[in-house]
Amino acid sequence: LRRPFAVSECESKSFSFTYRIVGEGTKELSLMKKGDTTSVLAPLGNTYKLPGKGTEAVIVGGGCGTPSLCLLAKTLKEKNITVHTVVAAREACSLLESATLKKYSDTITFSTDDGSKGYKGNAVDAVRDIVLPKAGDKIEFFACGPYPMLKGLAALADDLEIKAQVSLEEKMACGFGACMGCAVKIKADNDDGYVYKRVCHEGPVFSSDELVWE
Ligand code: FES
């Protein structure tokens, strides 16, 4: 099976992605040498919708989800949108410090669960305690990271009536909408209260208030 990765940088004739070695597939990938080739199916899925003028962006990356926000930060800055970034991880050695994210962020906050670097707490705490006090009145969240982080951010967004777009990470078998292996529940006005949408095809970015958080 293929492995799903988010694009982290893009040049005119190349793109890059960042991954963690977690199993046989990513281990094999890490052993590839310059000149080796592999088959890639890309690009897939949708993108974040950019906010309107006057809205500040709060982008939140957790763990391996962080590099996927680099292109978003760059695009937002090119549109003259203020970018507040939070990069979070369990501990300092897992914190992904991206030069691109630093370059395109007006403010950047690092947080670790154990306090070994930056703010001690999770990403959602860092947004609430560090970023919101210095951000403007009109903001929108953009996030990619582990499910509990996205769920916590969605709850905060809901409490404060802030729009949030989240990019979901799911295992994918086909990548082009055929197998339904990556389906997630989306709220719907039917007997079940939900329908399924595919992270690889209709996603990976969804509005946080349309998702059924489990
Ligand atoms: Fe097959 Fe999404 S991975 S439908």
Side-chain angles (χ1 to χ4, degrees):
L1 297 177
R2 293 177 185 276
R3 305 294 190 277
F5 300 116
V7 172
S8 48
E9 306 270 351
C10 197
E11 302 295 331
S12 61
K13 289 190 176 162
S14 66
F15 67 86
S16 53
F17 55 89
T18 306
Y19 61 93
R20 192 196 300 273
I21 302 171
V22 293
E24 285 306 309
T26 41
K27 188 174 166 199
E28 236 176 80
L29 197 59
S30 75
L31 296 174
M32 286 181 71
K33 295 182 198 66
K34 194 171 177 184
D36 289 350
T37 58
T38 190
S39 147
V40 175
L41 192 62
L44 299 171
N46 65 355
T47 60
Y48 294 98
K49 292 183 190 75
L50 298 184
K53 246 191 163 176
T55 299
E56 296 182 14
V58 175
I59 66 178
V60 187
C64 269
T66 304
S68 74
L69 295 161
C70 292
L71 273 179
L72 173 67
K74 182 170 182 272
T75 309
L76 290 166
K77 265 340 278 175
E78 284 167 358
K79 302 257 175 221
N80 286 323
I81 291 168
T82 301
V83 177
H84 302 282
T85 299
V86 171
V87 178
R90 277 202 203 110
E91 65 278 300
C93 64
S94 307
L95 209 55
L96 286 162
E97 292 190 45
S98 153
T100 308
L101 268 181
K102 279 186 185 157
K103 183 175 170 190
Y104 294 111
S105 299
D106 294 275
T107 72
I108 188 157
T109 303
F110 294 102
S111 77
T112 48
D113 293 352
D114 65 0
S116 49
K117 174 150 184 163
Y119 173 87
K120 184 175 184 205
N122 65 32
V124 181
D125 296 335
V127 170
R128 192 186 46 235
D129 297 345
I130 310 284
V131 178
L132 291 185
K134 62 186 167 197
D137 292 338
K138 214 171 156 202
I139 59 175
E140 185 164 346
F141 294 153
F142 301 85
C144 185
Y147 191 87
M149 182 198 98
L150 299 181
K151 186 177 176 180
L153 195 70
L156 181 65
D158 195 39
D159 277 356
L160 302 177
E161 297 183 359
I162 292 170
K163 275 197 202 167
Q165 295 177 52
V166 296
S167 180
L168 299 182
E169 298 173 331
E170 274 295 331
K171 289 203 169 98
M172 294 179 188
C174 71
F176 47 80
C179 72
M180 293 301 282
C182 63
V184 290
K185 287 180 185 170
I186 301 290
K187 291 175 193 163
D189 197 11
N190 60 12
D191 289 348
D192 293 328
Y194 61 84
V195 293
Y196 284 106
K197 286 198 178 173
R198 298 155 294 184
V199 173
C200 72
H201 198 62
E202 286 91 11
V205 180
F206 294 94
S207 174
S208 70
D209 59 2
E210 66 177 329
L211 286 158
V212 177
W213 294 98
E214 302 190 301

